[in-house]
Amino acid sequence: MKRKVYITYFENNGRGHEITMVDIKHFDGFGEKGIHFKYKEKDFLLSQPLFEQAKLYMQDSLIAVWKIQITARRVEVKIYDDDFIEDKYLVIGLFHTWFY
């Protein structure tokens, strides 16, 4: 059974969104980790190849990357798409929910 995570996100204007993150990884559990979800009627993919940083895509456009250094207790998030700066807490929350 594929893992699912349900998120309720409220924008600054109070508008709520229900997001369902669905696991798309391979059956054997090895290789690339990833999830699919919809937000504001657009398709998103959050993926992490083995031993690499995680990446958030909207359709084919890179939105953000997440790099975690567990031994240093440090997380670095870079948002590349200015349209998502207002949703920075959503971006951070999505990465954290799935990969931490």
Side-chain angles (χ1 to χ4, degrees):
M1 182 143 115
K2 293 190 177 201
R3 183 174 145 201
K4 290 184 182 182
V5 175
Y6 302 95
I7 296 172
T8 302
Y9 172 69
F10 293 94
E11 295 181 75
N12 289 337
N13 63 10
R15 183 172 177 219
H17 300 274
E18 299 295 325
I19 299 170
T20 303
M21 301 169 75
V22 179
D23 193 348
I24 59 169
K25 71 180 174 189
H26 300 287
F27 179 72
D28 61 10
F30 296 104
E32 185 171 334
K33 295 182 191 175
I35 59 117
H36 172 264
F37 64 93
K38 283 188 175 282
Y39 173 63
K40 293 186 177 179
E41 305 299 323
K42 295 184 180 169
D43 289 316
F44 288 81
L45 173 69
L46 213 164
S47 67
Q48 183 180 26
L50 199 57
F51 304 117
E52 293 184 28
Q53 58 193 6
K55 297 177 181 175
L56 174 62
Y57 296 92
M58 179 182 67
Q59 276 99 4
D60 293 327
S61 299
L62 180 64
I63 303 298
V65 296
W66 158 282
K67 183 178 179 183
I68 186 166
Q69 299 171 349
I70 295 172
T71 56
R73 301 181 143 253
R74 177 186 168 133
V75 173
E76 181 179 309
V77 177
K78 291 184 182 176
I79 299 176
Y80 294 103
D81 188 326
D82 290 340
D83 291 341
F84 285 85
I85 294 298
E86 282 191 25
D87 292 323
K88 63 184 171 277
Y89 296 118
L90 172 62
V91 171
I92 293 167
L94 292 167
F95 279 121
H96 181 79
T97 298
W98 202 262
F99 294 115
Y100 190 67

